[in-house]
Amino acid sequence: MGDICNFRPKNAAIDPDVVLQEAAGQFDSLVIIGWDKEGLLDARASLNLNHAEIHFLISVFQHKLLSSDFSGDIDDID
């Protein structure tokens, strides 16, 4: 049998639960930042990251977000 494909509507990523389900099993370490259901900022990180590493990940993401570059490695930062 072939691989099973999950087809989702174009805007499926608007649901945070779908985004989290798709990310499951894909990361060695991560940071999650978002608004909880009460509208409060909630941030979490895997325990294998220290504060400096969390700060670095957020900084890399911010750089890529502002430069619209989501295709390269962290080594591509100027």
Side-chain angles (χ1 to χ4, degrees):
M1 257 202 197
D3 293 335
I4 297 174
C5 296
N6 239 347
F7 294 102
R8 300 202 187 280
K10 183 177 179 180
N11 61 350
I14 200 164
D15 182 351
D17 290 334
V18 171
V19 175
L20 291 171
Q21 288 170 355
E22 291 294 320
Q26 301 294 317
F27 296 90
D28 292 325
S29 55
L30 61 85
V31 176
I32 298 172
I33 302 171
W35 303 113
D36 68 13
K37 298 208 182 267
E38 297 174 1
L40 301 172
L41 180 67
D42 190 2
R44 300 162 189 239
S46 54
L47 294 177
N48 61 344
L49 294 170
N50 62 38
H51 288 145
E53 292 166 326
I54 293 168
H55 184 263
F56 178 72
L57 282 174
I58 293 169
S59 296
V60 170
F61 174 72
Q62 180 181 20
H63 179 273
K64 289 186 170 288
L65 180 65
L66 294 174
S67 66
S68 298
D69 173 25
F70 292 97
S71 60
D73 268 345
I74 58 174
D75 297 331
D76 294 339
I77 296 175
D78 296 334

